[in-house]
Amino acid sequence: QVQLVESGGGLVQPGGSLRLSCAASGFTVSNYAMSWYRQAPGKERELVAGITRTGGSTNYADSVKGRFTISRDNAKNMVYLQMNSLKLEDTAVYYCNAQFLTSRYWGQGTQVTVSP
């Protein structure tokens, strides 16, 4: 069974940090481009960060550039999102995504809440 399980979300104060993890099973992460999406209340799901299969290239939404870092450990079948200098507007459910051609897999999401 193909599964992506996110963890590491929680409640943090503005300016704080969180590290999200995405554990994959049922497929080999190294064959897929990986990304993190998020969806805030009342808003559409948006791409936060992406990373190529080899990890040689990354891309970020302008709103998180310089604060978030996506990385992958293919040997562990894991993907990470390091989030620093968190802002109130970062509050959302964060989803892990795997993509290869037309195939896409999604995790259930992990809640990140930034509040004083």
Side-chain angles (χ1 to χ4, degrees), residues 40-109:
K43 299 183 66 176
E44 298 294 320
R45 187 173 299 186
E46 65 173 343
L47 175 66
V48 176
I51 187 167
T52 56
R53 289 185 291 120
T54 63
S57 181
T58 58
N59 66 283
Y60 300 91
D62 288 341
S63 59
V64 307
K65 191 170 296 185
R67 299 187 297 118
F68 290 10
T69 303
I70 187 172
S71 62
R72 65 191 303 158
D73 188 338
N74 289 338
K76 294 181 178 180
N77 233 32
M78 297 283 291
V79 182
Y80 308 96
L81 184 67
Q82 179 66 46
M83 305 185 296
N84 298 325
S85 302
L86 284 162
K87 304 175 180 179
L88 268 61
E89 51 263 42
D90 293 321
T91 295
V93 177
Y94 285 72
Y95 299 90
C96 182
N97 170 261
Q99 180 177 348
F100 177 70
L101 297 179
T102 60
S103 298
R104 297 183 74 105
Y105 303 110
W106 294 91
Q108 294 183 6

